[in-house]
Amino acid sequence: MNTHDTRQFDLHPVNQRRLATLCGQFDEHLKMIEKRLQVKVGRRGHHFRVEGHTENVAAATEVIRHLYRETEASEDIPPDTVHLFIRETGLERLPDDVPYDEGQITVIKTPKLTAKPRGQNQQKYVHNIRTHDINFGIGPAGTGKTWLAVACAVEALKDEQVKRILLVRPAVEAGEKLGFLPGDLAQKVDPYLRPLYDALYEMLGFDQVTRLIEKSVIEIAPLAFMRGRTLNNSFIILDESQNTTREQMKMFLTRIGFGSTAVITGDTTQVDLPRGQNSGLIHAASVLSKVPGIGFTRFESKDVVRHPLVQRIVEAYDSFGDGGSTSP
């Protein structure tokens, strides 16, 4: 039987630069060890305290000691190195799903406003975002999927849980042709990203958003710009994901790095892909529905928080048997 244990130890020689390198920016390396090995790590200077199941505590202690030895020859330890040391212990696992308590009250705090999710589904959605590295929010327009995800991203940035925010959309025309619009690619896709800008302005203010975009702390881009990248310590939102292809969705999901949270939102009844192309969101919902560590929240017309007529419109389309999808 695995018993609970606490182990305390000091790292020598005492070197502040090496200790800072070991811990990572915002203690990101220690947080990764905690999360993957299911232990709690405390530190005061060169003194460490590790709590958890006995074998996990022993493994985490060994990982920390190994990493400190690495700092002797290297001034930087990438997350990949931490991951490899953890994986070599043979004890790494994704955290179990944290059960949702229907009685809990969730509040999101951003610099410009405090938001309280409305209704049970919105509360569960925010809970899932906070407890899963990858989370899907699927449902009709007006249910707060994107707005709440952006609010959670801003809160995570404010609390230094992530270093940057990426807001991504596929540049697919809703019955229109981008090629006929004037301007370069950035000008053509900008209208598709406008709802994301608007949410940020509401939560951070125009000047702050502008400064953070200039510093690349916030990036708003079409999905094509994600190819070939790996994103660590980021909060990534893929909006309007029903308009991704299967290949694009897989590409996006495999960009996610260490210390990152990804939220994928979309409405499977509003697919604007060319006829014959299948939606990556619909496909991913089937493929990943039972994968541990991935959260799914499905919204319905009753969750619509826009004008009352919007809810009636959604219900009318549902009852007519045509969600408005242009896909076959």
Side-chain angles (χ1 to χ4, degrees):
M1 185 175 177
N2 210 345
T3 57
H4 193 273
D5 190 16
T6 300
R7 185 174 298 191
Q8 301 187 54
F9 58 94
D10 296 332
L11 291 179
H12 294 286
V14 179
N15 182 301
Q16 295 306 319
R17 178 201 64 78
R18 289 178 59 186
L19 285 166
T21 302
L22 161 70
C23 297
Q25 191 171 11
F26 307 131
D27 286 340
E28 62 182 337
H29 298 158
L30 298 185
K31 289 175 183 175
M32 189 189 300
I33 292 169
E34 286 185 319
K35 189 173 187 179
R36 299 302 186 211
L37 292 177
Q38 300 290 285
V39 295
K40 184 166 180 57
V41 180
R43 178 179 84 95
R44 179 169 292 179
H46 69 293
H47 181 76
F48 286 77
R49 176 188 175 97
V50 183
E51 297 180 55
H53 289 302
T54 302
E55 63 176 357
N56 297 63
V57 167
T61 301
E62 196 58 28
V63 168
I64 292 170
R65 290 187 184 280
H66 271 303
L67 288 171
Y68 196 61
R69 286 195 288 272
E70 287 284 311
T71 63
E72 186 175 3
S74 175
E75 294 191 4
D76 181 49
I77 296 179
D80 314 51
T81 301
V82 184
H83 169 68
L84 289 173
F85 277 125
I86 294 171
R87 193 169 65 182
E88 286 173 3
T89 68
L91 295 172
E92 179 190 17
R93 67 185 181 92
L94 290 169
D96 296 328
D97 284 350
V98 179
Y100 170 64
D101 177 7
E102 292 189 1
Q104 72 185 40
I105 301 298
T106 303
V107 175
I108 309 170
K109 295 181 179 179
T110 71
K112 287 285 186 180
L113 56 85
T114 298
K116 178 182 173 185
R118 304 181 192 178
Q120 213 62 38
N121 251 355
Q122 284 198 357
Q123 290 278 347
K124 183 181 178 183
Y125 180 54
V126 172
H127 168 82
N128 280 349
I129 291 174
R130 287 173 170 172
T131 56
H132 294 74
D133 287 346
I134 298 176
N135 189 62
F136 286 81
I138 302 172
T143 49
K145 305 182 300 296
T146 301
W147 194 89
L148 288 170
V150 174
C152 287
V154 170
E155 182 183 60
L157 184 68
K158 175 179 69 74
D159 294 342
E160 297 186 343
Q161 295 172 15
V162 296
K163 294 180 183 176
R164 56 203 302 255
I165 295 173
L166 280 95
L167 306 176
V168 184
R169 270 190 167 193
V172 174
E173 311 95 322
E176 300 156 9
K177 296 297 179 185
L178 278 173
F180 290 102
L181 294 174
D184 59 20
L185 176 63
Q187 291 170 318
K188 288 179 180 181
V189 300
D190 192 65
Y192 293 87
L193 306 172
R194 180 55 51 190
L196 301 174
Y197 283 102
D198 291 343
L200 286 171
Y201 294 152
E202 191 176 351
M203 295 164 199
L204 285 168
F206 181 84
D207 291 340
Q208 179 72 348
V209 170
T210 302
R211 280 195 296 271
L212 292 175
I213 289 175
E214 288 174 353
K215 294 178 180 177
S216 296
V217 175
I218 293 177
E219 182 178 347
I220 306 175
L223 179 60
F225 287 18
M226 295 285 289
R227 193 171 296 279
R229 301 173 66 179
T230 299
L231 302 164
N232 296 321
N233 302 304
S234 302
F235 198 116
I236 314 150
I237 299 171
L238 174 57
D239 192 34
E240 298 288 349
S241 67
Q242 74 275 7
N243 289 327
T244 61
T245 63
R246 290 185 181 188
E247 294 76 18
Q248 285 175 326
M249 178 61 79
K250 183 179 178 183
M251 179 273 290
F252 172 80
L253 292 172
T254 53
R255 298 306 95 204
I256 296 159
F258 302 110
S260 290
T261 295
V263 181
I264 299 96
T265 69
D267 179 359
T268 54
T269 69
Q270 296 291 324
V271 178
D272 296 312
L273 290 169
R275 188 169 296 277
Q277 283 195 347
N278 295 318
S279 168
L281 176 61
I282 295 173
H283 183 248
S286 300
V287 172
L288 305 175
S289 61
K290 295 182 180 179
V291 175
I294 298 180
F296 280 87
T297 308
R298 295 185 182 275
F299 294 92
E300 302 171 11
S301 57
K302 64 181 177 64
D303 299 308
V304 172
V305 292
R306 291 183 184 169
H307 191 289
L309 275 177
V310 174
Q311 180 178 344
R312 294 178 190 175
I313 290 167
V314 171
E315 290 173 345
Y317 272 100
D318 287 345
S319 62
F320 191 75
D322 176 12
S325 171
T326 59
S327 63

